Amino acid sequence: MRTVRALSAALLTLGLAAAPAAADASPSPSQDSSDAPTRAGTSFRTATEIEQEQRATASGSTGDYLYWSFPADTGQRPTVRATVKLPDTHAAQTWQIDVYDGLRRRQACQYGAQTRTAAANAPSVDLACVLRTVRAWSEPWANDPLPGTYYIRLTATGVPTSDLGLPVDTEVRADSRDIGGSAAVDGSLAEPLVPGIATTSGEAQENAAVLAGLEPEDGWASGWWSDRWVWTAVGGVLAALAGVAGYMLTRGAGRPSRVPPAG
C-alpha cells in the first residue's frame, strides 16, 4: 500500500514538473503580415527591426547592402532565410547572407546555403543560415552567440559591372528553435547585447533612444525554464523510489520467521 502511495506521489510530481515545459513548447503565433516591414536599412545603425517569424520585404538595387535586425534569446537556435527576386535579364550573380551579433561579430553558420550563385536570367535565388545555439554566457575571448540583437546583411558579392544597379526584390525571415537544457550553461550576462541598452541607466534610459528596441515576446532571458528541471525532478523521484524499495526489501529480509513452537 505504501509503495502504491509513493508511486502516485511520484507521478503527480512528474506531472507538475512537465506542465511548464509543455506550456513553453506551444508554438507562438506568427506576426501579422500587415505590419511587416517593407524596407531595409543600409548599415548596422539603420537596420530595419523585425520580429522573429515575421516576413519582411524590401526593394533595392544589385550591389546594395541591405540590413535587418531581430532579437534572439538564450536557448534559441536562429535560422535566417532570404529570397532575392532577380530581374528578367541578368548575368550570373553570387548572393550572400551574413549574420552578426550585437557586438557586430560575424557568426558562422552551422549549415545552410549562405552563399549561392544564380545562373544567368534565373528568376530568384534562395539563401539560408542556421546559427549555433544562443548561450546565456561565454568566455570573453570566445565567439559564441549570446542573447541580444542580431543583424542580417544581404548583398551580391559577385556581380558584373553591367548588372550593377538593376532592381531586385528581397524577402527575409528569422525563426528560432528552442533547444532546451542541452545547451544550458552556468552563468548569464548582466545585460543582453542590444546596442544602446548600456549607454544610460535608470529613469534616463526610459527617455533615451536606443539603437535596437525589439526584444523577445516574454522579455529577455525568458527561457529560464528548460528540460533540465524536468530531468532533475525525474532523477530525484527515481532516487526516492529506489530508497523506498530498498527499505521495504531490507525490512522484509530482516524480520525473523515465525515458526510455530513444537507441540
Side-chain angles (χ1 to χ4, degrees), residues 59-121:
S59 298
S61 301
T62 305
D64 290 345
Y65 285 90
L66 305 178
Y67 289 82
W68 296 265
S69 66
F70 67 95
D73 205 359
T74 302
Q76 294 182 338
R77 179 178 293 169
T79 298
V80 177
R81 294 182 176 86
T83 299
V84 182
K85 297 180 181 179
L86 303 172
D88 296 335
T89 304
H90 62 84
Q93 299 180 3
T94 299
W95 286 80
Q96 180 171 314
I97 187 171
D98 297 302
V99 183
Y100 298 83
D101 65 8
L103 297 179
R104 300 186 185 179
R105 303 176 302 178
R106 183 176 179 273
Q107 293 295 319
C109 301
Q110 278 192 317
Y111 48 88
Q114 181 182 9
T115 302
R116 270 189 171 175
T117 300
N121 301 328

Side-chain angles (χ1 to χ4, degrees), residues 6 24 30 33 51 69 77 104 117 120 123 128 134 146 148 159 165 168-169 171 173 183 197 213 220 229 239 241 250:
D24 286 350
S30 300
S33 59
E51 297 279 4
S69 66
R77 179 178 293 169
R104 300 186 185 179
T117 300
V134 178
L146 295 170
V159 181
V168 294
D169 293 323
E171 177 182 322
R173 180 184 173 97
I197 195 172
W220 292 109
W229 294 92
L241 291 177
T250 54

Side-chain angles (χ1 to χ4, degrees), residues 27 75 110 161 166 230:
Q110 278 192 317
T161 305
L166 291 179
V230 176

Side-chain angles (χ1 to χ4, degrees), residues 109-156:
C109 301
Q110 278 192 317
Y111 48 88
Q114 181 182 9
T115 302
R116 270 189 171 175
T117 300
N121 301 328
S124 63
V125 59
D126 295 323
L127 305 168
C129 175
V130 180
L131 299 178
R132 295 171 294 166
T133 304
V134 178
R135 296 163 59 90
W137 179 85
S138 177
E139 294 288 348
W141 47 262
N143 195 36
D144 296 322
L146 295 170
T149 300
Y150 282 78
Y151 294 94
I152 304 169
R153 186 179 73 179
L154 178 64
T155 188

